[in-house]
Amino acid sequence: MRNLSIVCGSSHKELGAKIAEILGVHTAECKLGKFSNQESSVEIKHSVRDKHVYLIQSGCGHVNDNLIELLILIQACRMGSAKKISVVLPLFPYSRQSDRLQKKRLMTTTHSNNASTSSVQSPTSLTNGDATSSKLNGNAHEKLNGLASPPTNGTSIVSGGRYMFHSTSHDSGYKQWCARPGTLVARLIQEAGANHLITMDLHHPQYQSFFDIPLDQIYAEPCIIRFIRSEISFWRSAIVVSPDAGGAKRATSVANQLGLEFALIHREHRDNDSECTGLVGEVTNRPVIIIDDLIDTADTVCMAANILKHHGATRICAIATHGIFSKNAMENLNNSPIEMIACTNTVPQEEFRAQCPVLKTIDISGILAEAVRRTFFGESLSHLFIHEKLF
């Protein structure tokens, strides 16, 4: 393939080598490291002038270092007169923080609103003078008489034709309106000089809209379905389970392709920061296959496995696209009732397999290599979504 160059970052060189081998090309020689002050050092040994360069870097391991290294690689290719720069980012970094911040904000504001509502007085019951003063503390009363624009938190109360805000909670939830790092990463990749992005199973699909450059999201579902059919002997009698409501669409898609039943673990957050968990569906005396997009600390998948075991599931397997396995994830999985775990190699899995004997790897280098080939020749990627095709 003339005028195509594969450049691998330091996060997942094995995946880059597999993709290059499938395509029948060699990876470009790069010198990657750090200076004595820990700044990233990047040097591409081969010329990329007038070539379509594919930079392969995954958002795993030392995420911040790998992200900076990716940006410098993009800039190096841009300054080296590359014709087009496509970033292959199997695991998109910083794409999970938006839901966590939103969840905290909603829990905080809900608690604040409930507290404020309980102390609200009817507007018709308030009059000018002593009635109003009795409902307000001194500081708030001064604000009512002296400020033209009331504070923005709390509950609106009508008094003398004017509005004031009264809150019984010190935490209004305003501080939870934080930056969204995923959008920042998207802008950084674009501004560094990338022309195209290929990623796999975004945690939040809406991140596609944050890019002004073309973004192709590849799904690991065909590879996962092939793995289930070939490696799980009891799959025909199994029930596909989503460990939370957010992954229901993903799990139902797998269940529909395999012609299996579906169940869901539902979690509801209460105002007092407690959590209520329940099972929607029937798994008694049936094997189950848990489908998720990502396993990080493994708390969610282990909790789901314990609930399923409690409800009479006979055998439990778990499959995820991205296996990050941070903190005590390996210990959690080894102590759980899960008898087999499978993750794709969007993240290096060799170290994790040594710690967890039930962990297996689903190779997605073939589908990524096909995506690279098709985008290089300008072909459609819709063929990658056909589940009968083996990659």
Side-chain angles (χ1 to χ4, degrees), residues 113-200:
N113 290 339
N114 290 341
S116 300
T117 304
S118 63
S119 63
V120 168
Q121 304 295 322
S122 173
T124 58
S125 66
L126 298 178
T127 58
N128 294 334
D130 294 339
T132 303
S133 300
S134 64
K135 302 298 180 183
L136 307 175
N137 57 35
N139 184 39
H141 187 58
E142 292 175 4
K143 291 182 179 180
L144 174 63
N145 293 327
L147 290 180
S149 58
T152 57
N153 61 323
T155 305
S156 175
I157 302 178
V158 180
S159 178
R162 291 188 294 179
Y163 288 89
M164 75 158 293
F165 283 70
H166 175 60
S167 175
T168 59
S169 173
H170 296 288
D171 191 352
S172 65
Y174 175 78
K175 290 184 293 185
Q176 296 302 333
W177 287 105
C178 300
R180 299 293 184 260
T183 62
L184 175 62
V185 172
R187 298 300 302 175
L188 287 172
I189 292 174
Q190 290 181 186
E191 295 301 324
N195 308 114
H196 175 221
L197 180 71
I198 299 175
T199 188
M200 175 167 281

Coordinates of all heavy atoms in Angstrom, one line a residue, residues 113-200:
N113 N -33.0 21.1 46.3 CA -34.3 21.5 46.0 C -35.4 20.9 46.9 O -36.3 21.6 47.3 CB -34.7 21.1 44.5 CG -33.9 21.9 43.5 OD1 -33.4 23.0 43.8 ND2 -33.8 21.4 42.3
N114 N -35.2 19.7 47.3 CA -36.1 19.1 48.3 C -36.1 19.8 49.6 O -37.1 20.0 50.3 CB -35.8 17.6 48.5 CG -36.1 16.8 47.3 OD1 -36.9 17.2 46.4 ND2 -35.5 15.6 47.2
A115 N -34.8 20.2 50.0 CA -34.7 20.9 51.3 C -35.3 22.3 51.2 O -36.0 22.7 52.2 CB -33.2 21.0 51.7
S116 N -35.2 23.0 50.1 CA -35.7 24.3 49.9 C -37.2 24.3 49.8 O -37.9 25.1 50.4 CB -35.1 25.0 48.7 OG -33.7 25.1 48.8
T117 N -37.8 23.3 49.1 CA -39.2 23.2 48.9 C -39.9 23.0 50.2 O -41.0 23.5 50.4 CB -39.5 22.1 47.9 OG1 -38.8 22.3 46.7 CG2 -41.0 22.0 47.6
S118 N -39.3 22.3 51.1 CA -40.0 22.0 52.4 C -40.2 23.2 53.2 O -41.0 23.2 54.2 CB -39.2 20.9 53.2 OG -37.9 21.4 53.5
S119 N -39.4 24.3 53.0 CA -39.5 25.5 53.8 C -40.1 26.6 53.1 O -40.2 27.7 53.6 CB -38.1 25.9 54.2 OG -37.3 26.3 53.1
V120 N -40.7 26.4 51.9 CA -41.3 27.5 51.1 C -42.6 27.9 51.7 O -43.4 27.0 52.1 CB -41.4 27.1 49.6 CG1 -42.3 28.0 48.9 CG2 -40.1 27.0 48.9
Q121 N -42.9 29.2 51.7 CA -44.2 29.7 52.2 C -45.0 30.1 51.0 O -44.5 30.5 50.0 CB -44.0 30.9 53.2 CG -43.1 30.5 54.3 CD -43.7 29.5 55.2 OE1 -44.9 29.5 55.5 NE2 -42.9 28.6 55.8
S122 N -46.3 30.1 51.1 CA -47.2 30.5 50.0 C -47.0 32.0 49.8 O -47.0 32.8 50.8 CB -48.6 30.2 50.4 OG -49.5 30.8 49.5
P123 N -46.9 32.5 48.6 CA -46.8 33.9 48.3 C -47.9 34.7 49.0 O -47.7 35.8 49.4 CB -46.8 34.0 46.8 CG -46.3 32.7 46.3 CD -46.9 31.7 47.3
T124 N -49.1 34.2 49.0 CA -50.2 35.0 49.5 C -50.2 35.1 51.0 O -50.8 35.9 51.6 CB -51.5 34.3 49.1 OG1 -51.5 32.9 49.6 CG2 -51.7 34.2 47.6
S125 N -49.4 34.3 51.7 CA -49.3 34.3 53.1 C -48.3 35.3 53.6 O -48.1 35.6 54.8 CB -48.9 33.0 53.7 OG -47.6 32.6 53.3
L126 N -47.5 35.9 52.7 CA -46.5 36.9 53.1 C -47.0 38.3 52.8 O -47.5 38.6 51.7 CB -45.2 36.6 52.3 CG -44.5 35.3 52.6 CD1 -43.3 35.1 51.7 CD2 -44.2 35.1 54.0
T127 N -46.8 39.2 53.7 CA -47.1 40.6 53.5 C -45.9 41.4 53.9 O -45.0 41.0 54.5 CB -48.3 41.0 54.3 OG1 -48.0 40.7 55.7 CG2 -49.6 40.2 53.9
N128 N -46.0 42.7 53.5 CA -44.9 43.6 53.9 C -44.9 43.8 55.4 O -45.9 43.8 56.1 CB -45.1 45.0 53.2 CG -44.9 44.9 51.7 OD1 -44.3 44.0 51.3 ND2 -45.6 45.8 51.0
G129 N -43.7 44.0 56.0 CA -43.6 44.2 57.4 C -43.1 43.0 58.2 O -42.2 42.3 57.8
D130 N -43.8 42.8 59.3 CA -43.3 41.8 60.3 C -43.4 40.4 59.7 O -42.6 39.6 60.0 CB -44.1 41.9 61.6 CG -43.8 43.2 62.3 OD1 -42.8 43.8 62.0 OD2 -44.7 43.6 63.1
A131 N -44.5 40.1 58.9 CA -44.6 38.8 58.4 C -43.4 38.4 57.6 O -42.9 37.2 57.6 CB -45.9 38.7 57.6
T132 N -43.0 39.3 56.7 CA -41.8 39.0 55.9 C -40.6 38.9 56.7 O -39.8 38.0 56.5 CB -41.6 40.1 54.8 OG1 -42.9 40.2 54.1 CG2 -40.5 39.8 53.9
S133 N -40.4 39.8 57.7 CA -39.2 39.7 58.5 C -39.1 38.5 59.3 O -38.0 38.0 59.5 CB -39.2 41.0 59.4 OG -39.2 42.1 58.7
S134 N -40.2 37.9 59.7 CA -40.1 36.7 60.5 C -39.7 35.5 59.8 O -39.3 34.5 60.3 CB -41.5 36.4 61.1 OG -42.5 36.2 60.1
K135 N -39.8 35.5 58.4 CA -39.4 34.4 57.6 C -38.0 34.5 57.1 O -37.5 33.5 56.6 CB -40.3 34.3 56.4 CG -41.8 34.2 56.7 CD -42.1 32.9 57.4 CE -43.6 32.8 57.8 NZ -43.8 31.6 58.6
L136 N -37.3 35.6 57.3 CA -36.0 35.8 56.8 C -35.0 36.1 57.9 O -35.3 36.8 58.9 CB -36.0 37.0 55.8 CG -37.0 36.9 54.7 CD1 -37.0 38.2 53.9 CD2 -36.8 35.8 53.8
N137 N -33.8 35.7 57.7 CA -32.7 36.1 58.7 C -32.3 37.5 58.4 O -32.6 38.0 57.3 CB -31.6 35.1 58.7 CG -31.0 34.9 57.3 OD1 -30.9 35.9 56.5 ND2 -30.5 33.7 57.0
G138 N -31.4 38.0 59.2 CA -31.0 39.4 59.0 C -30.3 39.6 57.7 O -30.5 40.6 57.0
N139 N -29.4 38.7 57.4 CA -28.6 38.9 56.2 C -29.5 38.9 54.9 O -29.4 39.7 54.0 CB -27.6 37.8 56.1 CG -26.6 38.0 54.9 OD1 -26.3 39.1 54.6 ND2 -26.3 36.9 54.3
A140 N -30.4 37.9 54.9 CA -31.3 37.8 53.7 C -32.2 39.0 53.7 O -32.6 39.5 52.6 CB -32.1 36.5 53.8
H141 N -32.7 39.6 54.8 CA -33.6 40.7 54.8 C -32.8 42.0 54.3 O -33.4 42.8 53.6 CB -34.1 41.0 56.3 CG -35.1 42.0 56.3 ND1 -36.3 41.9 55.6 CD2 -35.2 43.2 57.0 CE1 -37.1 43.0 55.9 NE2 -36.4 43.8 56.7
E142 N -31.6 42.1 54.6 CA -30.8 43.2 54.1 C -30.7 43.1 52.6 O -30.8 44.1 51.9 CB -29.4 43.2 54.7 CG -29.4 43.6 56.2 CD -28.0 43.5 56.8 OE1 -27.1 43.2 56.1 OE2 -27.9 43.7 58.0
K143 N -30.5 41.9 52.1 CA -30.4 41.7 50.6 C -31.7 42.0 49.9 O -31.7 42.6 48.8 CB -30.0 40.2 50.3 CG -28.6 39.9 50.7 CD -28.3 38.4 50.3 CE -26.8 38.1 50.7 NZ -26.5 36.7 50.3
L144 N -32.8 41.7 50.6 CA -34.1 42.0 50.0 C -34.3 43.5 49.9 O -34.9 44.0 48.9 CB -35.2 41.5 50.9 CG -36.7 41.8 50.6 CD1 -37.0 41.2 49.2 CD2 -37.7 41.3 51.6
N145 N -33.9 44.3 50.9 CA -34.1 45.7 50.8 C -33.0 46.5 50.0 O -33.2 47.6 49.5 CB -34.1 46.3 52.3 CG -35.3 45.8 53.0 OD1 -36.3 45.6 52.5 ND2 -35.1 45.6 54.4
G146 N -31.8 45.8 49.9 CA -30.7 46.6 49.3 C -30.2 46.1 47.9 O -29.5 46.8 47.3
L147 N -30.6 44.9 47.5 CA -30.1 44.4 46.2 C -31.2 44.4 45.2 O -32.3 44.0 45.4 CB -29.6 43.0 46.4 CG -28.3 42.8 47.3 CD1 -28.0 41.3 47.4 CD2 -27.2 43.5 46.7
A148 N -30.8 44.8 44.0 CA -31.7 44.8 42.9 C -31.8 43.4 42.3 O -32.9 43.0 41.7 CB -31.3 45.8 41.8
S149 N -30.7 42.7 42.3 CA -30.7 41.3 41.7 C -30.4 40.3 42.8 O -29.3 40.3 43.4 CB -29.7 41.2 40.6 OG -28.4 41.5 41.1
P150 N -31.3 39.4 43.1 CA -31.1 38.4 44.2 C -30.2 37.4 43.8 O -29.9 37.2 42.6 CB -32.5 37.9 44.4 CG -33.2 38.0 43.1 CD -32.6 39.3 42.5
P151 N -29.7 36.6 44.8 CA -28.8 35.5 44.4 C -29.5 34.4 43.6 O -30.8 34.4 43.6 CB -28.4 34.9 45.8 CG -29.4 35.4 46.7 CD -29.9 36.7 46.2
T152 N -28.8 33.6 42.9 CA -29.4 32.7 41.9 C -29.7 31.3 42.4 O -30.2 30.5 41.7 CB -28.4 32.5 40.7 OG1 -27.1 32.0 41.2 CG2 -28.2 33.8 40.0
N153 N -29.3 31.1 43.7 CA -29.7 29.8 44.3 C -30.9 29.9 45.2 O -31.2 30.9 45.7 CB -28.5 29.2 45.1 CG -28.1 30.1 46.2 OD1 -28.1 31.3 46.1 ND2 -27.6 29.5 47.3
G154 N -31.6 28.8 45.5 CA -32.7 28.8 46.4 C -34.0 28.8 45.7 O -34.1 28.5 44.6
T155 N -35.0 29.2 46.5 CA -36.4 29.2 46.0 C -37.0 30.6 46.0 O -36.8 31.4 46.9 CB -37.3 28.3 47.0 OG1 -36.7 27.0 47.1 CG2 -38.7 28.2 46.5
S156 N -37.7 30.9 45.0 CA -38.2 32.3 44.8 C -39.4 32.5 45.7 O -40.4 31.7 45.7 CB -38.6 32.5 43.3 OG -39.2 33.7 43.1
I157 N -39.5 33.6 46.4 CA -40.6 34.0 47.3 C -41.0 35.4 46.9 O -40.2 36.3 46.9 CB -40.2 33.9 48.8 CG1 -39.8 32.4 49.1 CG2 -41.4 34.3 49.6 CD1 -39.4 32.2 50.5
V158 N -42.3 35.6 46.7 CA -42.8 36.9 46.4 C -42.9 37.8 47.6 O -43.5 37.3 48.6 CB -44.1 36.8 45.6 CG1 -44.6 38.2 45.3 CG2 -43.9 36.0 44.4
S159 N -42.5 39.0 47.7 CA -42.6 39.9 48.8 C -42.7 41.3 48.4 O -41.7 41.8 47.8 CB -41.5 39.7 49.8 OG -41.6 40.5 50.9
G160 N -43.8 41.9 48.5 CA -43.9 43.3 48.2 C -43.7 43.6 46.7 O -43.1 44.7 46.4
G161 N -44.0 42.7 45.8 CA -43.8 42.9 44.4 C -42.5 42.6 43.9 O -42.1 42.7 42.8
R162 N -41.6 42.2 44.9 CA -40.2 41.8 44.5 C -39.9 40.4 44.8 O -40.7 39.8 45.6 CB -39.2 42.7 45.2 CG -39.2 44.2 44.8 CD -38.1 45.0 45.4 NE -38.2 45.1 46.9 CZ -37.3 45.7 47.6 NH1 -36.3 46.2 47.1 NH2 -37.5 45.8 48.9
Y163 N -38.9 39.8 44.2 CA -38.5 38.4 44.4 C -37.3 38.3 45.2 O -36.3 39.1 45.0 CB -38.3 37.7 43.1 CG -39.6 37.5 42.3 CD1 -40.1 38.4 41.4 CD2 -40.3 36.3 42.4 CE1 -41.2 38.2 40.7 CE2 -41.4 36.0 41.7 CZ -41.9 37.0 40.8 OH -43.0 36.7 40.1
M164 N -37.3 37.4 46.1 CA -36.0 37.1 46.8 C -35.9 35.6 46.8 O -36.9 34.8 46.7 CB -36.0 37.6 48.2 CG -36.8 36.9 49.2 SD -36.2 37.2 50.9 CE -34.6 36.4 50.8
F165 N -34.6 35.1 46.9 CA -34.4 33.6 46.9 C -34.0 33.2 48.3 O -33.1 33.8 48.9 CB -33.2 33.3 45.9 CG -33.7 33.4 44.5 CD1 -34.1 34.6 43.9 CD2 -33.8 32.2 43.8 CE1 -34.5 34.6 42.6 CE2 -34.2 32.2 42.5 CZ -34.6 33.5 41.9
H166 N -34.7 32.2 48.8 CA -34.4 31.7 50.1 C -34.0 30.2 50.0 O -34.7 29.4 49.4 CB -35.7 31.8 50.9 CG -35.6 31.2 52.3 ND1 -34.6 31.6 53.2 CD2 -36.3 30.2 52.9 CE1 -34.8 31.0 54.3 NE2 -35.8 30.1 54.2
S167 N -32.9 29.8 50.6 CA -32.5 28.4 50.5 C -32.1 28.0 51.9 O -31.5 28.7 52.7 CB -31.3 28.3 49.6 OG -30.8 27.0 49.6
T168 N -32.5 26.8 52.3 CA -32.1 26.2 53.5 C -30.9 25.3 53.4 O -30.4 24.6 54.4 CB -33.2 25.3 54.1 OG1 -33.6 24.3 53.2 CG2 -34.5 26.2 54.4
S169 N -30.3 25.2 52.2 CA -29.1 24.3 52.0 C -28.0 25.1 51.6 O -28.1 26.1 50.8 CB -29.5 23.3 50.9 OG -28.3 22.5 50.5
H170 N -26.8 24.8 52.1 CA -25.6 25.6 51.8 C -25.0 25.1 50.5 O -24.1 25.7 49.9 CB -24.6 25.5 52.9 CG -25.0 26.1 54.2 ND1 -25.1 27.4 54.4 CD2 -25.4 25.5 55.3 CE1 -25.5 27.7 55.6 NE2 -25.7 26.5 56.2
D171 N -25.4 23.9 50.0 CA -24.8 23.3 48.8 C -25.9 23.3 47.7 O -26.8 22.5 47.7 CB -24.3 21.9 49.0 CG -23.5 21.3 47.9 OD1 -23.4 22.0 46.9 OD2 -22.9 20.3 48.1
S172 N -25.8 24.3 46.8 CA -26.8 24.4 45.7 C -26.5 23.5 44.5 O -27.3 23.5 43.6 CB -26.9 25.9 45.3 OG -25.6 26.3 44.7
G173 N -25.3 22.9 44.5 CA -25.0 22.1 43.3 C -24.3 22.9 42.2 O -23.9 22.3 41.2
Y174 N -24.1 24.2 42.4 CA -23.5 25.0 41.3 C -22.1 24.6 41.0 O -21.7 24.6 39.8 CB -23.6 26.5 41.7 CG -22.9 27.4 40.7 CD1 -23.5 27.8 39.6 CD2 -21.6 27.9 41.0 CE1 -22.9 28.6 38.6 CE2 -21.0 28.7 40.0 CZ -21.6 29.1 38.9 OH -21.0 29.9 38.0
K175 N -21.4 24.2 42.0 CA -20.0 23.8 41.8 C -19.8 22.6 40.9 O -18.7 22.3 40.4 CB -19.3 23.6 43.1 CG -19.1 24.9 43.9 CD -18.3 24.6 45.2 CE -19.1 23.8 46.2 NZ -18.5 23.6 47.5
Q176 N -20.9 21.8 40.7 CA -20.8 20.6 39.9 C -20.9 21.0 38.4 O -20.7 20.1 37.6 CB -21.9 19.7 40.3 CG -21.8 19.1 41.7 CD -20.5 18.4 41.9 OE1 -19.9 17.9 41.0 NE2 -20.0 18.4 43.2
W177 N -21.1 22.2 38.0 CA -21.0 22.6 36.6 C -19.5 22.8 36.3 O -19.0 23.9 36.2 CB -21.8 23.9 36.4 CG -23.3 23.6 36.4 CD1 -24.1 24.0 37.4 CD2 -24.0 23.0 35.4 NE1 -25.4 23.6 37.0 CE2 -25.4 23.0 35.8 CE3 -23.8 22.4 34.2 CZ2 -26.4 22.4 35.1 CZ3 -24.8 21.8 33.4 CH2 -26.1 21.9 33.9
C178 N -18.9 21.6 36.1 CA -17.4 21.6 35.8 C -17.2 21.5 34.3 O -18.1 21.3 33.5 CB -16.8 20.5 36.6 SG -17.0 20.6 38.4
A179 N -15.9 21.6 34.0 CA -15.5 21.4 32.6 C -15.7 20.0 32.2 O -15.7 19.1 33.0 CB -14.0 21.8 32.4
R180 N -15.9 19.8 30.9 CA -16.0 18.5 30.3 C -14.7 18.1 29.6 O -14.5 18.6 28.5 CB -17.2 18.4 29.3 CG -18.6 18.7 30.0 CD -18.9 17.6 31.0 NE -20.3 17.8 31.5 CZ -20.5 18.4 32.7 NH1 -19.5 18.8 33.4 NH2 -21.7 18.5 33.2
P181 N -13.8 17.3 30.3 CA -12.5 17.1 29.7 C -12.5 16.4 28.3 O -11.7 16.6 27.5 CB -11.8 16.2 30.7 CG -12.6 16.5 32.0 CD -14.0 16.7 31.6
G182 N -13.6 15.6 28.1 CA -13.6 14.9 26.8 C -13.7 15.9 25.6 O -13.1 15.7 24.5
T183 N -14.5 17.0 25.8 CA -14.6 17.9 24.7 C -13.3 18.7 24.5 O -12.9 19.0 23.4 CB -15.7 19.0 25.0 OG1 -15.4 19.7 26.3 CG2 -17.0 18.2 25.3
L184 N -12.5 18.9 25.6 CA -11.2 19.5 25.5 C -10.3 18.6 24.8 O -9.5 19.1 23.9 CB -10.7 19.8 26.9 CG -9.3 20.4 27.0 CD1 -9.2 21.7 26.3 CD2 -8.8 20.5 28.5
V185 N -10.3 17.3 25.0 CA -9.4 16.4 24.3 C -9.7 16.4 22.8 O -8.8 16.4 22.0 CB -9.6 15.0 24.9 CG1 -8.8 14.0 24.1 CG2 -9.0 14.9 26.3
A186 N -11.0 16.5 22.5 CA -11.4 16.5 21.1 C -10.9 17.7 20.4 O -10.3 17.6 19.3 CB -13.0 16.5 21.0
R187 N -10.9 18.9 21.1 CA -10.4 20.1 20.5 C -8.9 20.0 20.3 O -8.3 20.5 19.4 CB -10.8 21.3 21.3 CG -12.3 21.5 21.4 CD -12.9 21.8 20.1 NE -12.3 22.9 19.4 CZ -12.6 23.3 18.1 NH1 -13.5 22.6 17.4 NH2 -12.0 24.3 17.6
L188 N -8.2 19.5 21.3 CA -6.7 19.4 21.3 C -6.3 18.5 20.1 O -5.3 18.9 19.4 CB -6.2 18.8 22.6 CG -6.3 19.7 23.8 CD1 -5.9 18.9 25.1 CD2 -5.3 20.9 23.7
I189 N -7.0 17.4 19.9 CA -6.6 16.5 18.8 C -6.8 17.2 17.4 O -6.0 17.1 16.5 CB -7.4 15.2 18.8 CG1 -7.0 14.4 20.1 CG2 -7.3 14.4 17.6 CD1 -7.9 13.1 20.3
Q190 N -7.9 18.0 17.3 CA -8.1 18.7 16.1 C -7.1 19.8 15.9 O -6.5 19.9 14.8 CB -9.5 19.3 16.1 CG -10.6 18.3 16.0 CD -12.0 19.0 16.0 OE1 -13.0 18.3 16.0 NE2 -12.1 20.3 16.0
E191 N -6.9 20.6 16.9 CA -5.9 21.7 16.8 C -4.5 21.3 16.6 O -3.7 22.0 16.0 CB -6.0 22.6 18.0 CG -7.4 23.3 18.2 CD -7.7 24.2 17.0 OE1 -6.8 24.8 16.4 OE2 -8.9 24.2 16.7
A192 N -4.2 20.0 17.0 CA -2.8 19.5 16.8 C -2.6 19.2 15.3 O -1.4 19.2 14.9 CB -2.6 18.3 17.6
G193 N -3.7 19.0 14.6 CA -3.5 18.8 13.1 C -4.1 17.5 12.6 O -3.9 17.2 11.4
A194 N -4.9 16.8 13.4 CA -5.5 15.5 12.9 C -6.6 15.9 11.9 O -7.4 16.8 12.1 CB -6.1 14.7 14.1
N195 N -6.7 15.1 10.9 CA -7.8 15.2 9.9 C -8.9 14.2 10.0 O -10.0 14.3 9.4 CB -7.2 15.1 8.5 CG -6.0 16.0 8.3 OD1 -4.9 15.6 8.1 ND2 -6.2 17.3 8.3
H196 N -8.7 13.2 10.8 CA -9.7 12.1 10.8 C -9.4 11.2 12.1 O -8.3 11.1 12.6 CB -9.5 11.2 9.6 CG -10.3 10.0 9.5 ND1 -9.8 8.7 9.1 CD2 -11.6 9.7 9.9 CE1 -10.8 7.8 9.1 NE2 -11.8 8.4 9.6
L197 N -10.5 10.7 12.7 CA -10.3 9.9 13.9 C -11.1 8.6 13.8 O -12.2 8.6 13.3 CB -10.8 10.7 15.1 CG -10.8 10.0 16.5 CD1 -9.3 9.9 16.9 CD2 -11.6 10.7 17.5
I198 N -10.5 7.5 14.2 CA -11.1 6.2 14.3 C -11.0 5.8 15.7 O -10.0 5.7 16.3 CB -10.4 5.2 13.4 CG1 -10.4 5.6 11.9 CG2 -11.0 3.8 13.5 CD1 -9.7 4.7 11.0
T199 N -12.2 5.4 16.3 CA -12.2 5.0 17.7 C -13.2 3.8 17.8 O -13.8 3.4 16.8 CB -12.7 6.1 18.6 OG1 -12.5 5.7 20.0 CG2 -14.1 6.5 18.4
M200 N -13.3 3.2 19.0 CA -14.1 2.0 19.1 C -14.9 2.1 20.4 O -14.4 2.5 21.5 CB -13.2 0.8 19.2 CG -14.0 -0.5 19.6 SD -13.0 -2.0 19.3 CE -13.1 -2.2 17.5

